[in-house]
Structures are given as C-alpha cells and as structure tokens.
Amino acid sequence: MKQKIAVITGGSRGLGRDMAINLAKDGVDIIFTYHSNQKSADEVISLIKQLGQNAKAFPYDANNPNEAKALVTNLTSYLKQEYNSTNFDFLINNAGTGTFNLIADTSESQFDDMMNIHLRSAYFLTQAALPFLNEGGRIINISSGLARFSLPGMSAYAIMKGGLEVFTRYLAKELGSRKITANVIAPGAIATDFAGGSNKDPEKSTMIASITALGRVGEAEDVGGTVAFLCSERAGWINGQRIEVSGGMLV
C-alpha cells in the first residue's frame, strides 16, 4: 500500500500538534509548518518518529500569503527526495491566531492580519498545492464555532472563518472530478495557547462549561481524532460539510 502523507499548517502546538499525532497513529507520514518555535516543532517530529512515521517541519508565516508558493516549492522538493514523488494525500489548513477587539475598536491592520492568516493564506496555499494533491485526497479547513454563534470581540476572526467555510464548499464542488473531498472542522472553545490562552482562565472556563452540553471547556485532544477520521477511508463519502467539534456549545 502506498504511504499516505499529510501536510498540516501550524502543526507544532495546540490543535495542529494533536492532529499530527493522531494521523501518525493511523500510519500517516506528516509534513507540518511552524511559525517560529523550532524547539516545539522538533518535539513534534520526535513524537511522530516514535510512532514509526516520517516527519518534516518547515517554517511558514501565514500572515504573508506570498510565502505559499515558496512553501509548496520546498514541500515538493522534499517529497521528491524522500518519496520519489511530488504528490501527497491530505492538506489541513490549520495555522491561525486570534484577535480580541470589539468592532468599534478593530483597526484595519488587525482586520488585514485576520484576513491574511485565516483566509487569504489558506486560499492561495491550497491553490498552489492542488496540482500535487493525489486523486482521492482530502482537504480539511479548520474553522471555529464562532462562525455559527457570536461572542463580542471576535468579529474579524469569525468573518474570516465564515469565508473559509464558503471556500470549502466551493473546493468540494470544483474538485469532485478528482475525487478529492473538502470539509470543515469547527472547534468550539479550546483550552490551548491560542489568542493568549484566554480559554484557560478559570473564570472564562467556568462560563464556557456552563454553555456547553458536555459541561467543560474543550482540549486539543478533542479535535485531532476527528481530523484523522476525515482522512480515513471510513469518511470517503463526507464532502462539503461543516463538522462542529464543540461538546455541544450553545446548542
């Protein structure tokens, strides 16, 4: 059986790290990006290799969409050297950060950052990667529960995630002839270092638990398994869908 390969942006910590580990447990080789923390990236590589899979990390600044083509060039060069093929199977657009500002206080610069990181980057990285995605491959875009419900201060972030969800449906429609599926994972509130780690704050965690059916804030480990499932043969007929992984937040 041909070795499956996943490309994950933002795979050195938080949700991306757990996605990488879960996919590696399923026998998938991992290529991921990190922003600046090479130590964390090296730790993830070590964990993946302990699971018996190959791993490689590349630096990537999602706030600079011009880096997308350079990343794909580096990626395909590595693939050719390591696997004698420039193709891969799964693309997971996960890289991101957040900004907390009311609409009245959001600057154009902050808005542009959110657009570049969460929408423009994912769009043009996917565009550059499409020629190298195997027939029957999978694209998974990471959105947010905030594209469904609204919490003050997250408008710019949520707008971009909403756009990413529309983009995903168009990918599903346009890539069907290549048997490539495209789906969205939308996590609820997760206690990671995302956006300064605010979901770890005890007061906020208590509030989140009170509006979540399962009665707690989410953890990174709650999300990675769903991504691995969507990359499995069992999920081959799921396409163009938004799957919220939030423990029943604001149902």
Side-chain angles (χ1 to χ4, degrees), residues 127-206:
Q127 181 189 75
L130 280 179
F132 308 102
L133 196 59
N134 281 323
E135 180 167 326
R138 311 284 167 83
I139 298 171
I140 301 173
N141 292 323
I142 308 304
S143 180
S144 169
L146 290 163
R148 174 178 66 85
F149 51 78
S150 304
L151 296 176
M154 297 299 294
S155 63
Y157 170 82
I159 286 167
M160 306 315 161
K161 290 302 191 182
L164 192 65
E165 294 186 7
V166 173
F167 174 47
T168 304
R169 295 197 296 273
Y170 273 83
L171 286 170
K173 190 74 170 180
E174 293 186 13
L175 300 178
S177 62
R178 293 175 57 188
K179 305 297 184 286
I180 294 170
T181 67
N183 293 289
V184 167
I185 294 290
I190 306 291
T192 66
D193 293 330
F194 175 82
S198 64
N199 289 333
K200 295 180 180 180
D201 176 77
E203 184 176 345
K204 187 174 182 183
S205 293
T206 300

Side-chain angles (χ1 to χ4, degrees), residues 13 15 24 30 40 59 73 83 88 102 104-105 117 120 156 163 180 213 222 238 251:
R13 60 191 180 94
L15 298 182
I30 307 296
S40 292
T73 297
Y83 299 93
F88 64 98
L102 297 174
D105 301 323
I117 293 169
R120 191 189 304 269
I180 294 170
D222 294 320
I238 301 174
V251 292

Side-chain angles (χ1 to χ4, degrees), residues 45-73:
I45 289 172
S46 178
L47 288 170
I48 292 169
K49 289 185 175 180
Q50 288 174 32
L51 292 168
Q53 301 304 133
N54 285 341
K56 176 71 174 178
F58 291 99
Y60 175 60
D61 181 5
N63 200 15
N64 181 1
N66 295 326
E67 288 198 9
K69 289 183 179 179
L71 173 62
V72 171
T73 297

Side-chain angles (χ1 to χ4, degrees), residues 6-242:
V7 175
I8 306 170
T9 62
S12 64
R13 60 191 180 94
L15 298 182
R17 177 183 184 277
D18 196 65
M19 295 169 198
I21 297 301
N22 272 276
L23 283 164
K25 287 178 179 178
D26 282 356
V28 177
D29 284 353
I30 307 296
I31 302 169
F32 66 94
T33 72
Y34 64 97
H35 182 242
S36 58
N37 192 336
Q38 186 173 343
K39 180 180 178 182
S40 292
D42 289 342
E43 289 172 356
V44 175
I45 289 172
S46 178
L47 288 170
I48 292 169
K49 289 185 175 180
Q50 288 174 32
L51 292 168
Q53 301 304 133
N54 285 341
K56 176 71 174 178
F58 291 99
Y60 175 60
D61 181 5
N63 200 15
N64 181 1
N66 295 326
E67 288 198 9
K69 289 183 179 179
L71 173 62
V72 171
T73 297
N74 291 333
L75 165 67
T76 53
S77 177
Y78 167 77
L79 287 168
K80 182 66 175 177
Q81 178 181 342
E82 189 72 21
Y83 299 93
N84 198 32
S85 169
T86 56
N87 284 21
F88 64 98
D89 303 280
F90 313 126
L91 174 63
I92 299 145
N93 287 305
N94 166 72
T97 187
T99 182
F100 292 95
N101 267 314
L102 297 174
I103 294 169
D105 301 323
T106 299
S107 68
E108 289 188 27
S109 175
Q110 290 168 331
F111 188 93
D112 288 346
D113 286 349
M114 290 298 96
M115 179 178 287
N116 285 338
I117 293 169
H118 294 285
L119 190 54
R120 191 189 304 269
S121 170
Y123 191 104
F124 288 105
L125 176 59
T126 303
Q127 181 189 75
L130 280 179
F132 308 102
L133 196 59
N134 281 323
E135 180 167 326
R138 311 284 167 83
I139 298 171
I140 301 173
N141 292 323
I142 308 304
S143 180
S144 169
L146 290 163
R148 174 178 66 85
F149 51 78
S150 304
L151 296 176
M154 297 299 294
S155 63
Y157 170 82
I159 286 167
M160 306 315 161
K161 290 302 191 182
L164 192 65
E165 294 186 7
V166 173
F167 174 47
T168 304
R169 295 197 296 273
Y170 273 83
L171 286 170
K173 190 74 170 180
E174 293 186 13
L175 300 178
S177 62
R178 293 175 57 188
K179 305 297 184 286
I180 294 170
T181 67
N183 293 289
V184 167
I185 294 290
I190 306 291
T192 66
D193 293 330
F194 175 82
S198 64
N199 289 333
K200 295 180 180 180
D201 176 77
E203 184 176 345
K204 187 174 182 183
S205 293
T206 300
M207 182 277 291
I208 292 168
S210 72
I211 59 174
T212 301
L214 292 181
R216 64 171 174 84
V217 68
E219 302 290 342
E221 293 77 13
D222 294 320
V223 178
T226 306
V227 171
F229 166 70
L230 284 178
C231 291
S232 72
E233 295 299 322
R234 300 185 298 278
W237 199 237
I238 301 174
N239 194 21
Q241 301 304 304
R242 177 190 189 275

